Amino acid sequence: MARYTGPVCRICRRYGEKLMLKGDKCVTKCTLEKRPTPPGQQATGRRRKLSDRALQLREKQKARYSYGVLEKQFVDYYEDAVRLPGVTGENLVRQLELRLDNVVHKMGFGDSLAQARQFINHGHIALNGRRTNVASAATKPGDTVGWSARGRKTEAFKYAQENMTNKKVPAWLNVDANAMTGRVLSAPAAGETVSQFDPAVIVEYYSR
């Protein structure tokens, strides 16, 4: 299954809630607020109640879209989460949160996850001092994330630097706005992540 490249606002409308796929724009300019109905032709009859299986699938899809991963990637993350000690749902969210593209976004270097991934793909981001173009790279406590030498010459870097004061960084990350570098302090705890989905329901989906 290829990565979704259509209008992301349709995804939020499909699930009836903001998934923050456009980052800051979801706060200032949200299509869902103007068109809260699902995309496509609207049914005129009585809407069917979703089954438990359908509700589980919705949660899984919301998680996939929230982190921009393909189905096979998501399954791999789930299988790794099962093997790790602790609560499977928390392990799953922790792995997704520690993806490099998500860390770059949460540090405030990119307005949205998609923009952060684009910066990485173009070689504008450095992980532990080395330029990388792997958006799915797994970060760990102690890793440093910043802009590469090439990235610091771009207009994107100047824009990010000017808007760093408006960014709220999670407690498990530390950012030096002057140097435009950040550090992963720890793996995010269960209460330090804000998810638009229920990890426990996703575990039920794959545990069938």
Side-chain angles (χ1 to χ4, degrees):
M1 180 179 177
R3 191 180 302 279
Y4 178 79
T5 57
V8 294
C9 291
R10 288 176 63 89
I11 299 174
C12 295
R13 289 178 58 206
R14 182 183 306 161
Y15 298 114
E17 60 184 285
K18 288 185 181 183
L19 299 180
M20 305 304 291
L21 301 180
K22 285 188 174 182
D24 295 345
K25 287 186 178 179
C26 291
V27 178
T28 60
K29 190 177 181 181
C30 179
T31 302
L32 181 63
E33 295 175 354
K34 298 178 181 178
R35 302 177 66 187
T37 56
Q41 184 176 359
Q42 303 303 306
T44 55
R46 187 175 179 182
R47 182 172 293 183
R48 289 189 306 171
K49 182 180 179 181
L50 293 176
S51 65
D52 291 342
R53 182 64 176 167
L55 291 172
Q56 292 170 356
L57 176 61
R58 279 173 65 95
E59 293 302 296
K60 189 265 292 184
Q61 292 296 80
K62 285 195 293 184
R64 276 193 51 236
Y65 284 122
S66 294
Y67 290 98
V69 298
L70 303 177
E71 177 64 26
K72 185 179 184 305
Q73 289 176 303
F74 197 83
V75 171
D76 289 342
Y77 282 123
Y78 173 76
E79 292 177 347
D80 287 343
V82 172
R83 289 190 288 266
L84 292 171
V87 181
T88 300
E90 294 177 5
N91 291 338
L92 176 62
V93 174
R94 191 174 295 117
Q95 290 184 94
L96 293 168
E97 285 286 313
L98 287 171
R99 281 172 55 100
L100 180 59
D101 53 358
N102 183 71
V103 170
V104 170
H105 169 47
K106 291 293 177 66
M107 285 182 173
F109 298 157
D111 285 343
S112 66
L113 185 68
Q115 188 180 66
R117 182 180 294 118
Q118 185 180 49
F119 291 163
I120 297 169
N121 291 340
H122 291 175
H124 297 335
I125 300 298
L127 176 62
N128 293 324
R130 299 186 63 177
R131 180 166 61 88
T132 180
N133 60 359
V134 182
S136 61
T139 63
K140 59 184 183 300
D143 283 351
T144 58
V145 178
W147 292 75
S148 65
R150 184 168 71 177
R152 288 177 176 273
K153 299 177 182 178
T154 63
E155 290 297 322
F157 172 78
K158 296 177 183 177
Y159 176 83
Q161 191 174 37
E162 292 171 356
N163 291 274
M164 283 299 292
T165 54
N166 301 323
K167 306 295 182 178
K168 185 178 180 181
V169 181
W172 55 278
L173 298 173
N174 177 262
V175 175
D176 185 339
N178 294 322
M180 289 296 285
T181 59
R183 186 180 183 86
V184 181
L185 300 178
S186 64
E192 293 181 318
T193 59
V194 179
S195 301
Q196 284 80 27
F197 57 89
D198 187 346
V201 176
I202 297 174
V203 174
E204 291 175 3
Y205 173 83
Y206 283 114
S207 299
R208 66 189 187 279

